[in-house]
Amino acid sequence: MIKRTNDFNINIRTNLKAGVGDIHITEFIDKEEMINCRLLCEQVVPVGGSIGQHIHKYETEFYLIRKGLGKVIEQDGSHEVGPGDVVITGHGEMHSIENIGAEDLVMTAIIVTH
């Protein structure tokens, strides 16, 4: 199977997880098409925008940072992230991410269920 770009669902989520701004989300695959995976998408966080703090239960989320500069807050503190970095948030852990750069923060997000 091949999914073409015109098959992707594109959504805008305002203040996602009590964050700031409009997050543009391109869903590559529908939930119904995935096994043991809840999300596979691109997320674009605008300058000054954020995805608010949230916890993951019985799943692991991966952010692959592709463009821009972000600040991730986890249990162990705050960390700057940039292109090529991978943020891993496992079961029972919380995180948030904020765009602290001068351009869009673009990342691929994958949530694998346990």
Side-chain angles (χ1 to χ4, degrees):
M1 173 192 303
I2 297 173
K3 299 273 293 202
R4 305 282 181 194
T5 56
N6 58 350
D7 295 329
F8 301 156
N9 293 323
I10 300 173
N11 300 298
I12 297 174
R13 300 279 305 272
T14 301
N15 304 329
L16 183 60
K17 306 287 185 185
V20 175
D22 292 335
I23 310 304
H24 292 248
I25 300 172
T26 302
E27 296 176 0
F28 300 131
I29 299 177
D30 297 328
K31 292 178 195 177
E32 297 78 29
E33 298 175 294
M34 296 185 278
I35 297 173
N36 298 328
C37 189
R38 185 169 70 79
L39 181 71
L40 174 57
C41 72
E42 175 183 85
Q43 296 179 339
V44 179
V45 181
V47 174
S50 65
I51 298 174
Q53 188 176 76
H54 58 284
I55 192 167
H56 288 274
K57 293 185 180 183
Y58 305 105
E59 61 188 21
T60 300
E61 182 168 33
F62 302 88
Y63 288 154
L64 169 59
I65 309 301
R66 296 178 32 231
K67 179 181 173 186
L69 183 63
K71 178 173 76 172
V72 173
I73 297 175
E74 302 177 304
Q75 281 93 327
D76 68 346
S78 175
H79 311 276
E80 268 193 24
V81 292
D85 292 337
V86 177
V87 179
I88 304 167
T89 306
H91 166 69
E93 297 177 341
M94 69 85 187
H95 67 154
S96 64
I97 189 164
E98 175 184 358
N99 183 342
I100 60 171
E103 63 181 337
D104 285 343
L105 175 63
V106 180
M107 57 192 179
T108 300
I110 303 168
I111 298 178
V112 178
T113 57
H114 299 191

